[in-house]
Amino acid sequence: MAQPTNASDVDHTAASDRPASHSRTASNGHNHSRNRDYAPLNPSHLRNSQRPPPTPAADMSQAGDGTSMSRFSDYFDSKASSSRSTDENRPLLERADEGDKAGGADDDYKTTKSNIHNAPGNYGSFSEPHSPTVESPGESPLAMGGIYPGDVDHAPDDDDNAHSFLGDTVADGLMGGKTRMSTTKWLAKRHGVKSTKWMFVDYYVPMFKWIPQYSWRFLWGDLVAALTMASFYIPMSLSYASNLGHIPPINGLYSFVFNPLIYAFLGTCPQMVVGPEAAGSLLTGNVVVDSITKGFAKEKESFYHAQIAGVVTGVAGAILLLAGFARLGFLDNVLSRPFLRGFISAIGFVILVDQLIPEMGLSSVVRGNSNVQHGSSIQKAVFIFTHLSQAHKLTCIVSFSSFAIILITRTLKKKLQPRFPKVAYLPDRFAVVTIYTLLSWKLDWESQGVSILGDVKSDDGRIFQAHFPFDFSHMKHLESALSTSFLISLLGFFESSVAAKSLGVGPADGIQNIPLSANRELVALGTANILGGVFMSLPAFGGYGRSKVNASTGGKTPMSSVFLSLITVLCILFLLPAFEYIPKGVLSAMISIVAWSLIEEAPEDLLFFYRIRGWTELFLASLVFLATVLYSLPLGITCGIGFSLLRVIKHATRPRIQILGRVPGTEQFESAEADPERLEMIEGCLIVKIPEPLTFANTGDLRSRLRRLEDYGTTAAHPALPRVRKEDHNKNIIFDVHGVTALDGAGAQVFMEICQSYRDKGVRVFFCRVPKRTSQVWRLFESSGMVEICGGERHFVGSVVEALRLAETEDVQDFFERHPLGQGTYSSSSAA
């Protein structure tokens, strides 16, 4: 029967024409059992089927003892008339470069260019589809974009890492015209943008973009939203300051004066409202308590406590601001959802237990017991249980009744809001605070033993006092403030990011063209908290619940935050005396409602992780919760962040290489570990796919994982297992590096050493789907000597199939070099 003359025809007929037993037969004619070969044991004869077509010039199908020599006679007799032309045998990189030099607009160039990444064969789920570029006649390839580093028309000498690291704005500002024109300026010039400087001002200071868009139709909604939020959160800020932050209540109000105003000018989410939160206030209060415990401050020095809180807030703001300048907006992804769920639930539990003491009127009893005051939540719970008889009855009635009323009204509003949206406007918490304040004033509850808020003014009666938070006199507080401020900034930024992503860029009929940016959010929140630290306020961030209230009550622009700041200023100037008779139990009940909301979300997440058998996630959430509740917040924080960072580092440093096998009857290659029985392994070849960039972090373990593939055909096998994969199957190593989109110097050095070790052992190394010549990856391949070590550019081809053909050709060439014709006969074992 005539041999097929087309390589692709051979591929598609090989699997169907050959018997199943033949697919498990090695080239020497001997069968291998499943127990002796490596898994998966479906050796493919793709390389055998890719031989050059025969010629009728000579017939050497039988030699010597009758052993078949058709594979090698086909190659020898057709050596001068191979089915692949000389041009086709040259590396695709070389041909693509010639097309590049010939001109970027002709069809031949575009076809050759696409073939680099669209070589014969479909790589199944392990490759990305590549669509050919369609251009209008006469249109430049760069008509839709600028000249990017590593692009076709971009010479290597023009590459400027400063722009990629610092950004176009900073790099252009620092370096002026000494470097190449940035992509941003190139596009601006091409499309007629007149003032690039004002463009950057609009982007980095969003107030210049939304203020010109503001109109009277937004005014009523923004004002109503601000009044609604003020009725909810002004009493809440008083409670955060006095009960959680251990600072004067007026300093809690300052958090709603400066922070929302600054965020309205610099923030990128129009509907987000910035203010103090329970977690940040509690952590700030821990620093204040720690300073009192160490003797740095006294129990009654409220102004000094406010200064300590200002240090914590200022340091948190400075951390955020520096992170924004360093473009570290991706850090909100470091903290995992299980850690946050466990930590937030633990904070809710801690707050609930802490607030039971003032709600039951036990503050005077616990004041003399330092072990309980500064102890864990379990110690406080035991203390409360053993001192129930000393609870103040009227305080308990006021506290628990206000808690029940707020909880019931909140639940009713949630149920009624889908049918009656305007029910969200009802200021239930403001009404509860007002009613109980009037009752406290009329019935003189203070004389009956109910603790009230008292004078809200500062110690000396002055308001808006400023104090520089980074004063040298506060250096002694930095030891505890620095770590706490870092956590506050991280948690606050994460919560703000969640709120911003949920709200988006605002409603369709609101402010437009202000894109969300994590880096600009860092700058806005950092600036706001630094100013808040100057006025000794609590740390303030964007809250999801508060922002949803703003959006649901009509707030569509940042002007609602401006109105909230103005309303808070009016309250500080004219309504402070009205706050004097607020019962502390009512404020504690409002905080308990917030703590309850932090806990009630936990069961849904825990059930989800249990349903998907996410034992690692459940362990992390439980670890953080128990460490926080049983011991302290710092321990829970340390355990959670440490465990999360270990998981991140493990994920980043673990190379995800795959051994590829052929889908029978096709030229598709997939991971052999996913379905080992279905795929065919290529005889004499180890095909390795590297689906990720290579850096110093993930190349350290690359050598050992490659060794596991060589020994076992999988990375999942334990190294204690004896070698099950035959060494003959590793004579040719083919690296599919389509996923290696980036490479650093350390990664290139390790990879070069791996290739050198293969070559020293006589193993051929091939690369397919390498990035183009102008890329950083290819330049490092050349400069590190990897190209030369592997055998030159001819070993860098466009697909796995081409690498297999080239490997087979070199196998045949090596055979005839070792066994020239005319020197005896050949046995089947020698031919193999």
Side-chain angles (χ1 to χ4, degrees), residues 467-632:
H467 185 83
F468 187 61
F470 307 110
D471 192 276
F472 284 105
S473 61
H474 297 311
M475 290 297 106
K476 55 190 174 184
H477 304 300
L478 284 181
E479 181 182 352
S480 56
L482 191 59
S483 57
T484 304
S485 296
F486 178 78
L487 181 65
I488 290 173
S489 60
L490 204 58
L491 290 174
F493 175 58
F494 181 85
E495 185 175 4
S496 300
S497 297
V498 171
K501 292 173 184 176
S502 301
L503 296 168
V505 294
D509 57 344
I511 299 299
Q512 303 298 318
N513 300 322
I514 303 181
L516 290 175
S517 169
N519 294 320
R520 287 187 293 159
E521 286 291 294
L522 284 169
V523 172
L525 294 172
T527 305
N529 279 285
I530 287 177
L531 183 60
V534 171
F535 290 92
M536 298 168 286
S537 68
L538 292 171
F541 299 94
Y544 177 74
R546 181 168 50 243
S547 302
K548 290 294 288 184
V549 169
N550 178 44
S552 63
T553 54
K556 294 182 178 180
T557 75
M559 189 59 75
S560 60
S561 295
V562 177
F563 286 150
L564 177 61
S565 297
L566 295 177
I567 292 170
T568 308
V569 170
L570 293 177
C571 289
I572 292 173
L573 293 177
F574 304 108
L575 297 180
L576 287 184
F579 298 148
E580 181 177 351
Y581 291 96
I582 298 177
K584 287 187 176 180
V586 175
L587 296 179
S588 297
M590 296 181 68
I591 293 181
S592 297
I593 291 292
V594 176
W596 180 262
S597 67
L598 297 179
I599 296 175
E600 66 182 355
E601 298 176 359
E604 183 179 354
D605 282 350
L606 295 179
L607 286 175
F608 172 80
F609 291 128
Y610 176 79
R611 189 165 59 250
I612 65 172
R613 298 184 178 183
W615 310 125
T616 303
E617 288 77 11
L618 287 173
F619 171 77
L620 176 58
S622 303
L623 173 67
V624 175
F625 182 86
L626 293 175
T628 303
V629 169
L630 296 178
Y631 191 75
S632 66

Side-chain angles (χ1 to χ4, degrees), residues 155-407:
D157 294 339
D158 293 335
D159 195 9
D160 183 11
N161 292 326
H163 281 80
S164 60
F165 179 73
L166 299 174
D168 290 340
T169 311
V170 178
D172 289 339
L174 292 177
M175 302 177 185
K178 296 181 180 180
T179 60
R180 65 176 177 86
M181 180 182 292
S182 67
T183 302
T184 304
K185 286 194 173 182
W186 188 90
L187 287 171
K189 182 179 179 181
R190 184 178 182 87
H191 295 283
V193 178
K194 296 181 180 179
S195 176
T196 57
K197 291 184 178 180
W198 187 252
M199 173 185 70
F200 288 124
V201 171
D202 276 352
Y203 181 81
Y204 288 107
V205 187
M207 63 174 291
F208 292 115
K209 184 168 285 187
W210 69 260
I211 288 179
Q213 299 182 47
Y214 199 81
S215 61
W216 289 104
R217 62 189 176 94
F218 299 133
L219 182 63
W220 179 248
D222 289 338
L223 184 58
V224 171
L227 288 170
T228 305
M229 287 186 295
S231 66
F232 289 170
Y233 293 105
I234 285 181
M236 192 83 70
S237 64
L238 295 172
S239 184
Y240 284 157
S242 60
N243 291 358
L244 297 183
H246 304 290
I247 61 175
I250 194 171
N251 292 90
L253 294 177
Y254 292 161
S255 299
F256 275 123
V257 173
F258 303 104
N259 298 69
L261 189 65
I262 297 299
Y263 184 82
F265 295 154
L266 300 178
T268 61
C269 184
Q271 292 179 295
M272 191 163 74
V273 181
V274 172
E277 292 291 336
S281 302
L282 181 64
L283 292 171
T284 304
N286 280 351
V287 178
V288 174
V289 172
D290 186 59
S291 297
I292 296 173
T293 305
K294 292 179 179 179
F296 296 150
K298 296 181 180 180
E299 191 76 34
K300 299 295 184 178
E301 295 178 342
S302 57
F303 182 73
Y304 194 74
H305 298 171
Q307 291 180 347
I308 298 173
V311 173
V312 176
T313 304
V315 172
I319 292 172
L320 290 170
L321 188 62
L322 292 175
F325 287 152
R327 304 172 71 187
L328 301 179
F330 61 87
L331 285 178
D332 64 326
N333 299 318
V334 172
L335 298 183
S336 63
R337 181 72 174 268
F339 164 73
L340 289 168
R341 175 51 55 213
F343 183 70
I344 290 174
S345 301
I347 283 181
F349 183 85
V350 169
I351 291 174
L352 273 178
V353 174
D354 284 353
Q355 297 310 303
L356 281 174
I357 294 175
E359 285 172 358
M360 298 176 66
L362 295 174
S363 299
S364 58
V365 180
V366 88
R367 190 171 292 123
N369 194 334
S370 59
N371 292 331
V372 176
Q373 268 187 305
H374 310 308
S376 66
S377 297
I378 297 300
Q379 291 175 306
K380 292 178 181 179
V382 171
F383 174 83
I384 292 170
F385 184 77
T386 56
H387 291 77
L388 288 176
S389 60
Q390 296 178 293
H392 190 265
K393 294 182 180 179
L394 182 57
T395 301
C396 290
I397 293 172
V398 172
S399 303
F400 295 138
S401 61
S402 58
F403 177 87
I405 292 171
I406 296 173
L407 187 62

